[in-house]
């Protein structure tokens, strides 16, 4: 599904619609699960649900001296390792702007780990072992559908 305001599955700053769920019949949400669709498979029960109430997580990243910083990539990922798969909307990264502010829109509602790392290769986001290494230094937060949440990050303790 291509939506106005979306690029490669990531919500752009002024996006108004985001993917909420994808279900086949009454089955579970498969929006973050790769599926194989064989030739001739009946998809008449496929339901794609969009929402105009995206979650928005934003804030400012501060270094240990309390100064805004853009030096550290922020990784946000589901607390459920079942969602740590390629293409999952529940594993994202964001980089702060020069003034230390960041914004990420369109994460599905749920519980997430949030952590800052010194370096990040986008391939790292596909590696469950990498994400597991972040868990001890991350904090948890829960996002509710349609919530706009301000969450500042102070690095280096405090």
């Amino acid at each position: 599904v291509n939506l106005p305001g979306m690029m490669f599955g990531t919500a752009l700053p002024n996006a108004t619609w985001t993917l909420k769920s994808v279900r086949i019949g009454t089955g579970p949400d498969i929006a973050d699960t790769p599926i194989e669709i064989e030739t001739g498979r009946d998809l008449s029960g496929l339901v794609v649900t969009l929402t105009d109430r995206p979650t928005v997580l934003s804030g400012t990243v501060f270094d240990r001296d309390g100064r805004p910083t853009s030096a550290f990539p922020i990784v946000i990922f589901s607390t459920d390792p079942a969602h740590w798969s390629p293409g999952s909307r529940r594993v994202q990264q964001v980089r702060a702007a020069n003034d230390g502010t960041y914004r990420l829109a369109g994460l599905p509602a749920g519980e997430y780990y949030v952590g800052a790392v010194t370096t990040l290769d986008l391939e790292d986001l596909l590696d469950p072992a990498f994400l597991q290494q972040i868990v001890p230094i991350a904090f948890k937060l829960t996002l509710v559908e349609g919530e706009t949440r301000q969450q500042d990050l102070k690095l280096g303790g405090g």
Side-chain angles (χ1 to χ4, degrees), residues 89-150:
R89 300 167 298 148
R90 298 171 191 268
V91 178
Q92 299 288 326
Q93 67 86 31
V94 64
R95 294 186 182 263
N98 288 338
D99 64 357
T101 60
Y102 72 94
R103 183 178 190 278
L104 182 64
L107 284 168
E111 187 175 57
Y112 291 89
Y113 290 116
V114 179
V117 294
T118 54
T119 60
L120 179 68
D121 182 331
L122 291 181
E123 294 291 316
D124 292 335
L125 298 177
L126 306 175
D127 182 2
F130 173 80
L131 298 175
Q132 189 62 50
Q133 290 176 352
I134 299 173
V135 170
I137 62 162
F139 65 90
K140 288 182 186 179
L141 64 81
T142 300
L143 295 174
V144 178
E145 182 182 344
E147 176 180 21
T148 296
R149 181 163 184 168
Q150 175 81 23

Side-chain angles (χ1 to χ4, degrees), residues 10-25:
T10 301
L12 299 175
N14 295 317
T16 56
W17 290 94
T18 59
L19 180 64
K20 181 177 179 180
S21 65
V22 177
R23 297 182 191 281
I24 299 176

Side-chain angles (χ1 to χ4, degrees), residues 38 44 52 156:
E38 302 87 17
S44 60
D52 62 352

Side-chain angles (χ1 to χ4, degrees), residues 19-100:
L19 180 64
K20 181 177 179 180
S21 65
V22 177
R23 297 182 191 281
I24 299 176
T26 59
D29 182 4
I30 58 170
D32 298 305
T33 308
I35 62 167
E36 185 175 333
I37 301 175
E38 302 87 17
T39 302
R41 181 173 179 182
D42 179 13
L43 294 176
S44 60
L46 181 71
V47 177
V48 176
T49 304
L50 306 176
T51 180
D52 62 352
R53 295 179 16 151
T55 62
V56 178
L57 178 63
S58 63
T60 303
V61 182
F62 297 97
D63 66 16
R64 69 174 23 152
D65 296 322
R67 295 179 300 231
T69 182
S70 61
F72 302 95
I74 302 161
V75 180
I76 299 116
F77 57 104
S78 174
T79 59
D80 181 352
H83 293 167
W84 300 357
S85 59
S88 175
R89 300 167 298 148
R90 298 171 191 268
V91 178
Q92 299 288 326
Q93 67 86 31
V94 64
R95 294 186 182 263
N98 288 338
D99 64 357

